Each structure stands twice: as structure tokens, then as C-alpha cells.
Amino acid sequence: MSSALFSPIKLADLTLPNRIVVAPMCQYSANDGVANEWHMTHLGMLANSGAGLLVVEATHVERHGRITHGCMGIYSDACEDALKRIVLHCKRIGNAKLGIQLAHAGRKASAQRPWEGAKALGPDEDPWPTIGPSAIPFGPGWHTPRAMDEDDMARVRRAFADAARRALRAGFDAIELHLAHGYLLHSFVSPLSNKRNDEYGGSLAGRMRFPLEVARETRAAVPRGIPLGARITGTDWVDGGLTGQDAVELTKALKEAGLDYVDISSGNITPESRWPNDPGFNVPVAERVRKETGLPVRTVGMIVTPKQAEAIIAEGKADMVAMARAFLDDPHWGWHAAQMLGADVARPKQYARSAPVLWAGAALRG
Ligand code: 531
């Protein structure tokens, strides 16, 4: 039996042994942007999950671009050094290649951690000023962002490129831009959050202008052999918002800017955004983007079982699948998928004896 999910894929000069990706997952546990033992443990665990690529959580390119006080950053030497230690650790003990998601939270910055309420920070919670394409808050009770001027745009473009250089020095194998979930770059693309009447607003071409500038400036900082991708929005799930057609157009423009793949996610441009949470709910847009652009496509969202993941790849609907909670639930998801699909997966020698060939118990596990 040969598995499509466990077949290799090449992105730029990076070959991944399979098409399973651990999605970036915010941990809200950094110290002023700096990773610590929690990240070492969390990422160290997932480096041995069987996934070919492990993507580090949304890591913010400037301090005010963090979502919460606990979010990770890559804007100082302290941030870079901590990430370097983590990459080194994961590569020493694990098998996954390491990616990082570069992000700016825009109008959704200055928020409480989920377990503190997930609302905008109150006056006694050390809030900070936020920025966005237009002075429109994410929702009622949220900070009103300052509409970005040319200086802000130049600073943020440079911050993404500088962050990419830091990520390369830290040893990451792949870099991706966060253009989804209502954060800064997505909020430029969506007509629901971008009401500018200069050349950075209006038509889709205008609304894509700033994110594409960021993509080009970051690409210039990342050698062509290193994959640079983007997580984008398949649909805003709000009337009048972005649709699959916009995702196709954005992907064509990102391909033109030299990006190597997109990851189709969706939702979260406003608090009203509601998605169907059905199995693989982003797969139809991913399939369309893949067919209409020819760029390698990853997708995410309610992908849970090995059989489901295998079918998405085998049926040509996506080139890679990313999973988040499935890996928190089962940090060895990739090992168990390999067993079910009759494929090989790398395990550390210390754990080799739990492989199905050396442990009859694997066949008895539910
Ligand atoms: C929520 C989310 C997951 C998948 C689709 C839409 C929204 N996540 C998004 C995270 C922050 C935590 C909540 C980021 O994208 C940074």
C-alpha cells in the first residue's frame, strides 16, 4: 500500500518526507515576546510527531504587533536567541523540518489571552495603540486602530523583512506570512476592514497592494532555495467579505511575487464570521486555488483522521494538510497515521520500540 500523504514534497530546495504539517498554534506563553521552556517542551514534543514540517506559532514582527502580552515575537536579539535555541533543540532531538509564521496582529493586537477573556486589553492591563488599514475596530469593545500612513507601512514592510532575516539566522527551514484570521495583512485585503480611498484600498488590486509589498520585500530577504509561503483566507464567511475567487486572485499575485505555497484557512475578520466546522471545510477553496493557480496548496480546518488526510492528498485537492488540535490531542498523530496507512515514519531511536514492528501492542491500541 503506498500512501499519498506519506509521499515526499519539494518546496523550493526543501524536501519534506511527507505532506503532514503541524499548524502554527499560539501558546500565549512567551515572556515579552521571548520563547521559554514551555515552547521548548511544546515544540520539542511536536518535532517528533511524524509531521514533515512543524510551523512555529504566529511570531510577531514588532512588539505592538503581538496579539497578547504572551505572544511570541521576532523583533529583538533576545527573541532571536531564544528561537535559535529552540530550533537547535528540535533539530537535535526531532525529525521535523522547522517553519515559522511571521505575523502582525494589526487591529486585533493588544488583546487578552484566551484564558483571560480574549477581549481587548482594558486600561489597567497595559494596553497599547493598534494600527490597521482604516480606523475601524474589529468589533464592539475593541480598540480603534490608527489608519496606517506611509511611514507605518514602510516600518512594517521592513519589520517583516528583518524578521525573516532573524528567522534564517535562527535556523528555520521555511518561512510563512500570516495573511489570514483578521490580522494586519488580511485586514488590508478584506473589504470589510479596508475602507481606504488611497491606492491601498478600493479594488482588490488596491487592497492587496500592501500585503504584496510585504511579500516582495520579505522574498528579497529570503534566498530562493528557502520556501516562503503564506497562510491566506479562503473566505471571510461574512456577506460582502472575501470569497474563493479573491483567494485565487491573491494566490496568483503571491505566486508572481515569488512565494512557494499558500495555506488556505478562513474566517475571523470580524466577530460575526461563522464557519461551518464540517470536516475539511476549507478543502473546496483549497482545491479551486490549486487547480486555478498551479501553486502548491496546503489546507487546514477540521482535518482529523488519517483516512481523511490521505483522501485530500490522493484526490489532488491539496498538496499538504495542516492540523492543529489533532496534534495537541495526539502528539504522535503522524506515527499513528503511518501505521493506519502502511507507511514509514521517522521516530527517535529512544522510542523505536513502540513502532508496530517491535510492539504487538500497537495493533491492539484503539
Ligand atoms: C483561531 C482560528 C483558527 C483557525 C481559523 C480561524 C481562527 N486562532 C487563530 C490564531 C490565534 C488564535 C486563534 C492565529 O491565527 C494567530
Side-chain angles (χ1 to χ4, degrees):
M1 182 164 62
S2 93
S3 159
L5 184 65
F6 281 89
S7 65
I9 181 168
K10 194 166 180 228
L11 301 168
D13 289 346
L14 179 72
T15 300
L16 302 174
N18 61 51
R19 282 122 188 287
I20 305 167
V21 178
V22 180
M25 285 181 272
C26 292
Q27 299 297 297
Y28 311 101
S29 300
N31 308 113
D32 206 352
V34 179
N36 57 40
E37 287 73 12
W38 174 262
H39 306 89
M40 198 69 103
T41 306
H42 164 71
L43 295 164
M45 166 181 87
L46 293 171
N48 272 319
S49 61
L53 180 67
L54 163 61
V55 185
V56 170
E57 68 188 81
T59 304
H60 299 91
V61 302
E62 63 177 8
R63 193 165 179 269
H64 280 188
R66 291 173 306 153
I67 310 168
T68 72
H69 284 296
C71 283
M72 200 110 96
I74 182 156
Y75 44 74
S76 69
D77 291 350
C79 293
E80 182 183 324
D81 290 348
L83 284 166
K84 191 175 195 162
R85 281 196 296 279
I86 286 180
V87 172
L88 209 65
H89 169 71
C90 288
K91 291 194 169 181
R92 249 185 217 141
I93 62 128
N95 295 299
K97 298 291 182 190
L98 269 286
I100 184 167
Q101 186 186 52
L102 301 183
H104 192 300
R107 67 181 188 166
K108 291 176 72 178
S110 188
Q112 298 163 334
R113 295 171 179 89
W115 52 83
E116 292 166 341
K119 296 193 170 64
L121 288 173
D124 57 349
E125 295 176 300
D126 195 14
W128 62 86
T130 61
I131 54 172
S134 304
I136 305 170
F138 171 63
W142 282 79
H143 305 296
T144 299
R146 181 165 52 77
M148 288 170 73
D149 61 20
E150 290 278 357
D151 288 347
D152 292 316
M153 289 193 223
R155 187 191 70 249
V156 173
R157 278 196 299 266
R158 205 166 40 244
F160 269 95
D162 286 346
R165 283 185 272 268
R166 286 190 184 278
L168 294 172
R169 285 199 296 268
F172 284 99
D173 304 297
I175 295 178
E176 59 187 62
L177 304 172
H178 199 346
L179 259 102
H181 303 168
Y183 299 106
L184 184 68
L185 300 180
H186 174 199
S187 72
F188 263 86
V189 184
S190 176
L192 301 173
S193 38
N194 183 343
K195 304 285 184 194
R196 297 178 75 98
N197 43 33
D198 62 5
E199 67 272 34
Y200 290 98
S203 64
L204 178 63
R207 288 180 275 118
M208 292 192 305
R209 187 182 303 271
F210 177 63
L212 289 174
E213 287 176 356
V214 168
R216 283 192 289 268
E217 201 153 325
T218 309
R219 179 78 271 183
V222 178
R224 293 306 298 229
I226 308 263
L228 176 65
R231 173 170 272 191
I232 70 164
T233 290
T235 147
D236 276 341
W237 303 114
V238 184
D239 285 346
L242 295 173
T243 64
Q245 180 60 36
D246 298 310
V248 168
E249 296 307 322
L250 178 58
T251 302
K252 284 181 181 165
L254 290 168
K255 184 180 181 184
E256 183 75 27
L259 266 61
D260 300 296
Y261 67 92
V262 289
D263 181 18
I264 303 296
S265 188
S266 62
N268 260 325
I269 189 66
T270 68
E272 292 82 51
S273 170
R274 294 275 175 280
W275 48 93
N277 239 0
D278 300 329
F281 62 92
N282 289 314
V283 172
V285 176
E287 182 177 12
R288 178 171 173 201
V289 169
R290 183 174 188 263
K291 295 216 158 81
E292 293 184 30
T293 69
L295 197 68
V297 166
R298 191 172 95 201
T299 192
V300 64
M302 227 17 120
I303 299 171
V304 180
T305 69
K307 218 172 134 185
Q308 179 197 10
E310 173 69 18
I312 292 167
I313 305 297
E315 292 165 13
K317 293 179 174 166
D319 301 280
M320 294 167 278
V321 287
M323 283 158 282
R325 290 179 219 201
F327 274 103
L328 296 186
D329 177 56
D330 177 7
H332 292 150
W333 190 97
W335 299 5
H336 300 146
Q339 183 187 352
M340 279 190 70
L341 299 170
D344 288 330
V345 71
R347 299 165 191 248
K349 56 184 177 298
Q350 295 91 334
Y351 285 13
R353 63 186 182 275
S354 71
V357 282
L358 293 176
W359 181 46
L364 305 177
R365 191 185 354 85

